[in-house]
Amino acid sequence: MATPETYEILAVKYAEFTNRKRFESFIQADDHDGPHPIDYFIWVIRNAQRTIVVDCGFDQAEGSKRGRVVSRAPAAALEMVGVSAANLEQLIVTHLHYDHAGTLTAFPKARFHLQAAEMAYATGPCMCHAHLRYPFTADHVCEMVRNLYSGRVIFHDGDAEVAPGVTVHKLGGHSRGLQGVRVMTQTGPVMLASDSSHFYENFEKGKVFPIVVDVENTLKGYARLVELAASPRHVVPGHDPLVLKRYPPLNSQSQGFVHRLDVARADQ
């Protein structure tokens, strides 16, 4: 039997929003006025055969509009870890919210992996409601439509393989077509939760993030994350600053910027 491919996984932080409260992170939050900062990541999955990027973040203009501090453009952050956005061939878009699909034009050669349900949601009648369309930016969605018409979008309907050892899994809840990414590593399968669990507290304690289209699917998604991962410790939330404390940096220069997710957690 062939040995399955395994990968290095990097969490690359490109932005943050520190002036937040807990009520912005959890429905019915305890200590609702307590501080609760959020980090913004893109992720790199790579081995000797291929490199895949998960999500493409947002730029300075979008960050300024939404009060977020962008420390480095996503494409520039990738260049710092040896990944060329200009030449990347495969990019998984977990969903079309502004902070996950905001720099599509920086990847002119990429093919974009997206759940069909997400495109239908972002371009359908739900967008008539201001609360549901708030996390989307129209220009980003329109850019994905342009990519569709140029033949660069690969749609998935549920679970699918992107490459040997890399699969996507529709979880929904936060957005109609949200997908997580399962990656085989030397320590077992790791689940990149993206926004199916913004923070560890979401899936560990059953707390729901306030931006949500389906609470039931959100709660079911927490169980699915754990089911797909080697263990609960192999689930990586999409926005938690604790990720940079629980996983080691790539090297001595990347502390707080690029950390490895394919190795044992630093808090073992």
Side-chain angles (χ1 to χ4, degrees):
M1 181 180 295
T3 302
E5 288 191 35
T6 60
Y7 296 83
E8 176 186 60
I9 312 173
L10 306 179
V12 181
K13 178 182 173 181
Y14 68 93
E16 64 184 9
F17 181 32
T18 58
N19 189 26
R20 295 178 76 253
K21 304 292 186 182
R22 285 182 63 83
F23 75 86
E24 298 174 270
S25 297
F26 309 110
I27 295 175
Q28 297 179 327
D30 55 345
D31 187 22
H32 65 280
D33 282 331
H36 207 252
I38 191 169
D39 281 351
Y40 295 89
F41 299 97
I42 52 179
W43 299 271
V44 175
I45 301 165
R46 64 185 179 185
N47 63 13
Q49 286 71 46
R50 65 186 61 84
T51 296
I52 301 168
V53 170
V54 179
D55 290 339
C56 59
F58 58 89
D59 60 16
Q60 184 62 59
E62 187 74 23
S64 297
K65 186 169 64 176
R66 294 181 181 262
R68 275 63 174 162
V69 176
V70 177
S71 53
R72 53 189 67 82
L78 290 174
E79 294 285 350
M80 294 171 71
V81 295
V83 177
S84 169
N87 294 315
L88 186 78
E89 295 182 352
Q90 302 287 337
L91 198 153
I92 298 170
V93 179
T94 62
H95 58 306
L96 289 171
H97 285 176
Y98 80 93
D99 53 325
H100 296 262
T103 69
L104 295 170
T105 57
F107 302 85
K109 296 182 180 178
R111 301 190 74 189
F112 301 102
H113 294 264
L114 185 71
Q115 289 286 326
E118 184 67 2
M119 183 68 91
Y121 177 55
T123 58
C126 283
M127 295 302 100
C128 296
H129 304 287
H131 180 77
L132 295 179
R133 69 173 177 261
Y134 167 75
F136 295 93
T137 293
D139 286 346
H140 304 162
V141 177
C142 290
E143 183 61 33
M144 188 61 86
V145 173
R146 282 189 283 270
N147 289 326
L148 170 62
Y149 274 78
S150 65
R152 294 172 56 209
V153 177
I154 301 170
F155 283 120
H156 301 293
D157 183 13
D159 300 347
E161 183 181 74
V162 173
V166 180
T167 52
V168 292
H169 302 269
K170 182 173 174 289
L171 298 166
H174 173 68
S175 190
R176 191 73 74 187
L178 173 65
Q179 58 186 355
V181 185
R182 185 177 191 258
V183 185
M184 292 302 301
T185 74
Q186 292 184 348
T187 65
V190 169
M191 271 303 296
L192 299 177
S194 183
D195 288 5
S196 63
S197 188
H198 287 68
F199 302 96
Y200 284 103
E201 281 188 70
N202 292 125
F203 83 89
E204 290 178 347
K205 299 184 178 181
K207 296 181 178 181
V208 178
F209 194 80
I211 297 176
V212 60
V213 66
D214 191 319
V215 170
E216 180 186 17
N217 278 344
T218 297
L219 294 169
K220 287 180 176 179
Y222 297 159
R224 188 89 198 283
L225 287 172
V226 175
E227 173 187 300
L228 289 165
S231 76
R233 297 177 68 85
H234 288 71
V235 176
V236 182
H239 289 277
D240 202 323
L242 286 175
V243 168
L244 301 181
K245 299 182 183 299
R246 294 184 176 181
Y247 289 92
L250 176 64
N251 54 49
S252 59
Q253 290 76 45
S254 69
Q255 178 74 42
F257 165 39
V258 182
H259 286 229
R260 286 188 64 178
L261 308 178
D262 56 296
V263 296
R265 276 173 38 171
D267 62 338
Q268 293 280 33

